[in-house]
């Protein structure tokens, strides 16, 4: 992992399980850590589902391997004002990097 490639500001959002006024389980996200990641690829498509435009964009980020213990699939990433759901995390110890595959959260 070349540290000069880590140019994009990304914030990790940690899920916190809380209860609402009626006792139902509610997940709230709060900022956990701001860091720099390497942005590699973006692919996706816009689709019309039930007369609603849905965007399916996939983004791949790379960071240092030590992030593997800090981040899980329950976390969200905020990059350039948009939220991304983590679909998979893979690590490579030899290259000291972690690959984070994400998809855009449709709000």
């Amino acid at each position: 992992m070349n540290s000069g490639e880590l140019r994009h500001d990304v914030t990790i959002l940690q899920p916190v399980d809380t209860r609402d006024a009626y006792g139902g389980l509610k997940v709230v996200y709060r900022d956990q850590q701001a860091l720099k990641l390497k942005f590699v690829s973006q692919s996706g498509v816009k689709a019309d589902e039930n007369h609603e435009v849905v965007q399916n964009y996939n983004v791949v980020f790379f960071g240092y391997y030590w992030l593997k213990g800090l981040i899980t699939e329950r976390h969200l990433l905020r990059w350039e004002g948009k939220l991304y759901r983590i679909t998979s995390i893979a690590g490579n110890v030899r290259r000291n990097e972690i690959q984070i595959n994400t998809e855009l959260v449709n709000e």
Side-chain angles (χ1 to χ4, degrees):
M1 171 67 42
N2 184 0
S3 62
E5 296 175 337
L6 304 175
R7 297 184 188 128
H8 298 277
D9 294 320
V10 178
T11 303
I12 299 173
L13 301 174
Q14 179 182 16
V16 178
D17 295 329
T18 60
R19 299 279 179 181
D20 62 8
Y22 301 104
L25 186 62
K26 179 180 175 184
V27 178
V28 177
Y29 290 92
R30 64 178 178 160
D31 291 359
Q32 178 179 341
Q33 184 174 4
L35 46 93
K36 299 255 187 201
L37 293 178
K38 175 183 169 184
F39 162 74
V40 175
S41 68
Q42 181 173 3
S43 64
V45 65
K46 287 186 179 181
D48 184 9
E49 294 180 6
N50 298 329
H51 304 294
E52 181 178 339
V53 176
V54 178
Q55 301 175 357
N56 295 323
Y57 288 115
N58 299 321
V59 177
V60 179
F61 294 101
F62 284 90
Y64 284 114
Y65 187 78
W66 59 265
L67 285 172
K68 190 163 176 82
L70 185 73
I71 192 168
T72 65
E73 280 85 3
R74 288 194 65 210
H75 288 80
L76 293 178
L77 298 180
R78 185 185 313 122
W79 176 56
E80 295 184 346
K82 296 180 182 175
L83 293 177
Y84 293 88
R85 181 181 306 111
I86 298 173
T87 57
S88 66
I89 301 172
N92 187 341
V93 178
R94 280 191 215 152
R95 295 192 59 182
N96 190 27
E97 70 182 13
I98 187 172
Q99 177 179 344
I100 305 168
N101 298 318
T102 65
E103 65 182 7
L104 181 66
V105 175
N106 292 314
E107 296 180 32

